[in-house]
């Protein structure tokens, strides 16, 4: 191997891949077979953390940053004057194996610019996965980024070797896509996604009949949306996410605050800040939809299409719906307890368990992991109403914020100062 | 007071428990050998570790506090905390005095609570080490790593590495406790040796295969390039990767 050349390629192709935030390696169980190399425990290990505090779990690279398309938000776009490089299939295999054997990584996350056409590119991505599985007997994690417009046959093969497949929608609406990525169309992205969804359903059916049905993308599909490159409001973004969760049974939607990389009138200026607070709020909203039973249009309505930056969306919902509270912690349904700010899924279960044995009070709740500084304004214990006198006051938000400090406070202040 | 000295092993501790009951001793304190301080009015006895006695205590505890309880006791033991014997002994007595119910989740008892805290601490360190081990390929074809964990986690990380790396020989060496675990393609064994830290020094490098430095360099390159400078957040970074671990992290080596 010519290491100087490989180092240079790695510099270019890791740099170009870093904007993809979906680096999780969880959700797939794969045992080490036949005394081979590696396994996936389903938990995913962060082997290190970048200096921006993100988990390093996978070797995340592009196969090449040559691209025939010109998407405005992307560093790899055709019109961008940058160094180009391409790994060979074998080089990616060798890097993955050697990193894995040293316990640097959980596996590979391979994506690519589009050279020649969709299938030509996809074929090579699939070949990397195939070699890893069949020639190297590798059982670590593989995430392949599908190329929009790739054929069903290739998607099928991809699913046999990869743990997870993803296609990044990148722009939350078709309008945004037309503006910034005129060469792409949403159909091409949705078709492979739909195909994979159906294959996963078929796999689950067959598995019931034949125990040895080969695995198909056991960690499912995910996608990524770029936040703040176009004018979409948060309601449009979470509606898009919601519909993809429902229609394509995605495991995850990732939100990536736009990092300014191009001087282009269609895009935010190069000086603009990465919208990190907004990104965080969207993750919280996403969480509420997936685990707390909130609907997209409860979190936001057309009159309020942006998430509140200074409080999390659950608290924000509670503040808008003060008439529903207080809820009686001794009697309320699980679903309602979940909606109390400061109570998470785990503590909600524990409350249901514990209240069968005793009449709960503040002390109990504290021990069960409830953040009382928030929750206390919204609950009653069936007996007395200590903090509830604040509930109907119009400045409840100030009361609560006075009691808690957001970890994003600094950034939040900085963002506000811009307006 | 009766002070029982044991040999720093879990089996030794269980043997001491057995003898405390066997001889119906009152006011027992179980202490690691060579750690006892002068005590007036105390009777000091040295316990000789006996596997059958340890096994009987183990089986008894299993019926009382289950696998979860034993797991917690073992993790407590690996914490190497200076008070651990006091809490273990208190929990054992509490369990034996309440044989009708499993007391291991009864957190109103301070030592039961304490055990679950030890478990959490050690568990966290186990996870860290599964993540932070960095192998280097040596000339005798062994993937070799050094660690200096806060707690004695080698016994509990062995399984993870054995499941994962079945087709390569590897060794993980605990510098602080000067012993290691070695996998020879068939089984994992404990190894003790004065390996010192010679692989860290320059002259140790010739023990590594030629490509080793290059792969380390590639990993450092990758680590640098995957960071998004516009999002840099050092506080968060150090919170996830505390500085005391940097010494053995390839990506943190000076280039
Ligand atoms: S097709 Fe993909 S790699 Fe190419 S410019 Fe568009 S987003 Fe970038």
């Amino acid at each position: 191997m010519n290491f100087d050349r490989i180092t240079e390629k790695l510099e270019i192709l890791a740099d170009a891949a870093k904007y993809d935030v979906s680096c999780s390696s969880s959700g797939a169980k794969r045992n080490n077979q036949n005394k081979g190399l590696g396994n996936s425990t389903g938990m995913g290990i962060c082997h290190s953390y970048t200096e921006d505090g993100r988990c390093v779990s996978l070797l995340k690279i592009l196969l090449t940053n040559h691209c025939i398309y010109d998407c405005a938000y992307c560093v790899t776009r055709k019109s961008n004057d940058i160094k180009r490089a391409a790994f060979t299939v074998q080089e990616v295999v060798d890097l993955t194996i050697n990193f894995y054997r040293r316990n640097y990584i959980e596996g590979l996350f391979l994506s690519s610019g589009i050279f020649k056409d969709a299938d030509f590119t996809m074929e090579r991505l699939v070949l990397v996965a195939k070699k890893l599985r069949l020639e190297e007997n590798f059982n670590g994690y593989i995430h392949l980024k599908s190329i929009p417009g790739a054929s069903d046959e290739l998607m099928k093969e991809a699913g046999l070797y990869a743990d997870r497949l993803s296609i990044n929608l990148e722009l939350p609406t078709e309008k945004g896509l037309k503006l910034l990525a005129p060469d792409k169309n949403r159909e091409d992205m949705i078709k492979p996604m739909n195909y994979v969804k159906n294959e996963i359903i078929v796999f689950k059916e067959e598995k019931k009949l034949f125990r040895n049905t080969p695995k198909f993308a056991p960690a499912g599909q995910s996608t990524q949306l770029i936040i703040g490159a176009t004018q979409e409001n948060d309601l449009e973004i979470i509606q898009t996410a919601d519909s993809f969760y429902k229609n394509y049974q995605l495991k995850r939607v990732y939100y990536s605050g736009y990092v300014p990389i191009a001087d282009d009138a269609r895009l935010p200026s190069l000086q603009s800040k990465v919208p990190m607070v907004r990104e965080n709020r969207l993750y919280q909203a996403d969480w509420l939809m997936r685990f707390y039973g909130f609907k997209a249009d409860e979190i936001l309505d057309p009159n309020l299409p942006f998430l509140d930056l200074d409080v999390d969306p659950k608290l924000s919902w509670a503040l808008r719906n003060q008439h529903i509270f207080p809820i009686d912690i001794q009697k309320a349904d699980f679903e309602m307890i979940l909606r109390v700010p400061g109570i998470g899924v785990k503590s909600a279960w524990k409350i249901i368990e514990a209240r069968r044995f005793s009449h709960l009070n503040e002390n109990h709740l504290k021990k069960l992991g409830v953040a009382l500084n928030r929750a206390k304004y919204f609950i009653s214990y069936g007996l007395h109403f200590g903090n509830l006198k604040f509930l109907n006051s119009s400045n409840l938000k100030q009361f609560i914020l006075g009691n808690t400090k957001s970890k994003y406070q600094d950034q939040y202040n900085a963002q506000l100062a811009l307006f | 007071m009766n002070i029982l000295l044991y040999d720093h092993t879990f089996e030794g501790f269980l043997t001491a428990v057995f003898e405390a009951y066997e001889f119906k001793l009152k006011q027992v304190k179980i202490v690691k050998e060579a750690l006892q301080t002068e005590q007036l009015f105390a009777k000091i006895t040295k316990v000789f570790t006996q596997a059958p006695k340890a096994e009987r205590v183990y089986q008894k505890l299993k019926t009382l506090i289950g696998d979860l309880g034993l797991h917690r006791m073992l993790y407590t033991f690996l914490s190497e905390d200076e008070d651990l014997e006091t809490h273990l002994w208190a929990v054992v007595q509490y369990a034996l005095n309440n044989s009708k119910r499993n007391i291991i989740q009864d957190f109103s008892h301070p030592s039961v609570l304490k055990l679950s805290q030890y478990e959490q601490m050690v568990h966290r360190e186990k996870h860290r080490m599964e993540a932070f081990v960095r192998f280097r390929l040596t000339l005798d074809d062994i993937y070799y790593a050094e660690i200096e964990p806060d707690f004695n986690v080698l016994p509990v990380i062995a399984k993870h590495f054995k499941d994962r790396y079945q087709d390569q020989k590897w060794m993980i060496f605990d510098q602080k406790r000067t012993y290691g675990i070695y996998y020879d393609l068939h089984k994992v064994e404990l190894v003790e040796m004065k390996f010192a830290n010679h692989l860290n020094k320059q002259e140790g490098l010739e023990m590594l295969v030629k490509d080793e430095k290059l792969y380390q360099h590639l990993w450092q390159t990758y680590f640098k390039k995957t960071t998004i400078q516009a999002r840099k957040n050092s506080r968060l970074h150090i919170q996830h990767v505390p500085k005391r671990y940097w010494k053995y992290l390839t990506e943190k080596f000076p280039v």
Side-chain angles (χ1 to χ4, degrees):
Chain A
M1 236 204 248
N2 177 345
F3 271 93
D4 287 342
R5 184 69 194 120
I6 295 280
T7 306
E8 195 190 358
K9 287 185 187 180
L10 185 61
E11 277 176 1
I12 295 170
L13 296 170
D15 195 80
K18 71 186 176 196
Y19 299 100
D20 204 310
V21 293
S22 53
C23 88
S24 134
S25 59
S26 55
K29 254 186 134 57
R30 202 178 272 274
N31 291 330
N32 189 330
Q33 287 157 357
N34 311 324
K35 274 206 147 208
L37 173 63
N39 61 350
S40 299
T41 55
M43 310 252 288
I45 297 176
C46 292
H47 284 270
S48 195
Y49 288 83
T50 59
E51 285 172 12
D52 50 284
R54 286 175 308 139
C55 165
V56 179
S57 176
L58 303 172
L59 170 62
K60 181 168 56 176
I61 47 175
L62 301 188
L63 183 63
T64 178
N65 68 339
H66 289 285
C67 192
I68 55 174
Y69 287 160
D70 205 35
C71 311
Y73 50 81
C74 175
V75 276
T76 302
R77 68 188 181 281
K78 180 174 64 182
S79 64
N80 201 13
D81 182 19
I82 48 162
K83 268 199 190 165
R84 307 277 167 174
F87 280 124
T88 64
V89 167
Q90 193 57 44
E91 282 167 346
V92 176
V93 170
D94 289 343
L95 263 182
T96 307
I97 294 294
N98 276 289
F99 278 11
Y100 194 88
R101 286 196 183 284
R102 287 168 175 76
N103 205 42
Y104 297 163
I105 53 171
E106 291 292 288
L108 173 68
F109 177 7
L110 187 61
S111 160
S112 185
I114 301 173
F115 51 133
K116 259 167 118 170
D117 60 48
D119 274 356
F120 188 83
T121 312
M122 192 68 206
E123 213 178 292
R124 271 149 192 82
L125 298 185
V126 171
L127 198 56
V128 170
K130 185 174 181 175
K131 273 188 175 247
L132 281 170
R133 293 280 189 240
L134 302 186
E135 287 177 17
E136 305 287 338
N137 197 1
F138 175 74
N139 301 295
Y141 194 86
I142 301 178
H143 178 163
L144 291 186
K145 192 91 136 312
S146 321
I147 303 299
S151 69
D152 289 355
E153 293 74 42
L154 281 170
M155 291 310 296
K156 169 135 204 172
E157 258 208 298
L160 289 178
Y161 304 121
D163 291 291
R164 173 166 283 181
L165 296 167
S166 67
I167 283 201
N168 286 355
L169 294 169
E170 305 292 20
L171 299 169
T173 58
E174 293 204 60
K175 195 174 72 208
L177 194 67
K178 277 229 171 65
L179 179 70
L180 294 184
D183 320 314
K184 280 187 178 166
N185 67 64
R186 206 171 229 193
E187 260 319 291
D188 282 348
M189 303 180 179
I190 290 179
K191 211 182 114 253
M193 213 183 254
N194 200 30
Y195 176 80
V196 170
K197 180 198 82 176
N198 292 332
E199 281 298 304
I200 291 177
I201 295 173
V202 170
F203 164 75
K204 284 188 179 143
E205 286 303 313
E206 285 181 3
K207 184 131 199 260
K208 285 183 205 149
L209 303 174
F210 313 105
R211 275 200 56 224
N212 292 329
T213 307
K215 282 197 159 101
F216 192 88
Q221 303 196 76
S222 65
T223 193
Q224 168 173 290
L225 297 172
I226 298 178
I227 306 310
T230 37
Q231 299 303 318
E232 284 90 3
N233 62 41
D234 294 341
L235 179 60
E236 289 173 287
I237 294 170
I238 64 172
Q239 277 171 340
T240 299
D242 191 37
S243 79
F244 277 86
Y245 278 127
K246 289 212 183 86
N247 299 332
Y248 303 98
Q249 290 163 18
L250 296 191
K251 280 277 159 63
R252 285 295 299 274
V253 174
Y254 291 91
Y255 307 89
S256 169
Y258 174 69
V259 180
I261 46 102
D263 197 4
D264 183 322
R266 293 170 292 175
L267 287 165
S269 82
L270 279 172
Q271 280 70 43
S272 54
K273 279 215 162 26
V274 184
M276 285 167 69
V277 181
R278 187 178 173 202
E279 178 190 295
N280 183 50
R281 293 288 178 238
L282 281 164
Y283 274 113
Q284 290 172 325
D286 186 88
W287 201 254
L288 290 184
M289 292 197 292
R290 287 189 298 140
F291 301 114
Y292 286 76
F294 281 82
K295 301 211 175 63
D297 57 6
E298 283 182 296
I299 299 170
L300 288 167
D301 71 55
N303 303 319
L304 265 171
F306 283 96
L307 292 163
D308 205 341
L309 289 184
D310 53 356
V311 294
D312 67 79
K314 190 173 167 191
L315 179 55
S316 175
W317 175 84
L319 290 168
R320 276 182 279 123
N321 292 280
Q322 288 176 26
H323 58 276
I324 296 174
F325 296 99
I327 69 132
D328 183 342
I329 211 73
Q330 205 62 35
K331 296 211 190 79
D333 294 343
F334 178 72
E335 287 71 28
M336 267 324 288
I337 293 178
L338 262 187
R339 293 200 166 214
V340 176
I343 299 184
V345 178
K346 261 197 199 151
S347 25
W349 277 120
K350 286 189 188 155
I351 288 170
I352 301 277
E353 278 288 303
R355 73 182 182 186
R356 300 203 318 231
F357 299 105
S358 50
H359 204 96
L360 301 179
N361 59 34
E362 287 206 347
N363 263 334
H364 292 123
L365 292 193
K366 223 182 240 161
K367 282 209 183 117
L368 298 178
V370 172
L372 267 184
N373 54 4
R374 290 168 175 241
K376 67 182 176 194
Y377 299 102
F378 301 97
I379 50 184
S380 68
Y381 303 95
L383 297 168
H384 64 94
F385 291 82
N387 292 295
L388 297 176
K389 57 178 181 290
F390 298 110
L391 182 57
N392 293 318
S393 77
S394 53
N395 50 0
L396 178 57
K397 182 162 147 186
Q398 263 55 48
F399 269 112
I400 297 174
L401 286 183
N403 279 326
T404 51
K405 194 173 175 324
S406 160
K407 61 181 166 178
Y408 288 99
Q409 204 73 48
D410 299 349
Q411 287 174 24
Y412 170 59
N413 289 342
Q415 288 206 342
L416 269 195
L418 292 175
F419 296 103
Chain B
M1 183 160 42
N2 280 293
I3 295 184
L4 299 179
L5 299 180
Y6 76 104
D7 62 358
H8 299 227
T9 66
F10 194 50
E11 283 194 335
F13 177 82
L14 295 177
T15 310
V17 169
F18 188 94
E19 298 196 344
Y21 276 92
E22 187 179 22
F23 303 118
K24 298 201 172 65
L25 303 177
K26 296 263 150 23
Q27 285 195 304
V28 171
K29 200 168 154 69
I30 304 176
V31 180
K32 286 193 189 73
E33 215 174 328
L35 288 188
Q36 98 272 21
T37 45
E38 278 303 313
Q39 288 267 4
L40 293 175
F41 314 116
K43 181 166 178 287
I44 300 179
T45 318
K46 195 170 155 170
V47 173
F48 292 94
T49 301
Q50 293 168 53
K53 287 186 177 177
E55 179 63 21
R56 275 178 62 189
V57 175
Y58 187 90
Q59 290 306 336
K60 178 72 187 171
L61 286 171
K62 192 168 176 156
T63 64
L64 292 173
I65 56 175
D67 288 333
L68 176 66
L70 287 168
H71 185 262
R72 229 168 243 175
M73 285 185 67
L74 177 66
Y75 273 56
T76 297
F77 193 75
L78 297 176
S79 77
E80 302 175 324
D81 188 79
E82 53 181 19
D83 293 328
L84 73 90
E85 288 89 355
T86 312
H87 294 296
L88 282 179
W89 174 234
V91 169
V92 168
Q93 287 173 290
Y94 191 51
L96 283 161
N97 291 339
N98 291 276
S99 54
K100 292 234 162 51
R101 65 191 179 98
N102 184 343
I103 51 89
I104 202 64
Q105 297 283 55
D106 178 0
F107 299 126
S108 65
H109 188 287
S111 289
V112 173
L113 180 66
K114 192 74 197 172
L115 253 55
S116 80
Q117 289 162 351
Y118 282 129
E119 182 192 33
Q120 242 174 35
M121 271 164 32
V122 175
H123 201 256
R124 187 139 145 245
E125 194 68 359
K126 169 183 185 277
H127 270 298
R128 276 204 174 122
M129 287 306 125
E130 287 170 357
F132 290 168
V133 157
R134 296 287 179 267
F135 288 120
R136 289 171 284 168
L137 183 57
T138 63
L139 283 178
D140 28 5
D141 225 14
I142 297 170
Y143 284 84
Y144 176 75
E146 284 158 355
I147 57 174
E148 245 175 85
D150 290 350
F151 312 116
N152 183 17
V153 292
L154 274 186
V156 287
I157 65 174
K159 182 177 183 316
H160 171 82
F161 286 97
K162 181 169 184 267
D163 288 346
R164 176 161 291 194
Y165 299 109
Q166 297 186 16
D167 70 345
Q168 69 191 46
K169 288 187 250 173
W170 51 260
M171 180 186 303
I172 305 171
F173 195 78
D174 183 335
Q175 289 282 16
K176 221 191 248 171
R177 298 163 187 86
T178 61
Y179 81 103
I181 48 178
Y182 172 59
Y183 172 73
D184 63 0
L185 297 181
H186 304 287
K187 58 192 180 316
V188 179
E189 306 178 318
L190 291 189
V191 285
E192 265 179 87
M193 55 178 167
K194 301 287 163 259
F195 224 76
N197 47 4
H198 65 244
L199 273 184
N200 267 342
K201 298 190 198 108
Q202 264 326 98
E203 70 261 32
L205 286 176
E206 65 240 29
M207 286 184 59
L208 299 174
V209 296
K210 197 171 100 275
D211 287 353
E212 177 54 37
K213 272 227 94 162
L214 301 169
Y215 277 111
Q216 289 181 19
H217 181 71
L218 283 172
W219 174 241
Q220 290 166 340
T221 304
Y222 175 71
F223 186 75
K224 236 187 353 243
K225 284 295 166 183
T226 196
T227 295
I228 301 178
Q229 286 302 331
R231 301 179 62 123
K232 197 162 169 163
N233 184 343
S234 301
R235 195 178 51 86
L236 198 59
H237 172 65
I238 290 174
Q239 187 184 320
H240 286 306
V241 192
K243 283 199 169 145
R244 64 179 181 285
Y245 299 104
W246 289 16
K247 194 165 137 198
Y248 297 107
L249 289 175
T250 316
E251 61 270 29
K252 290 290 182 189
F253 289 173
V255 199

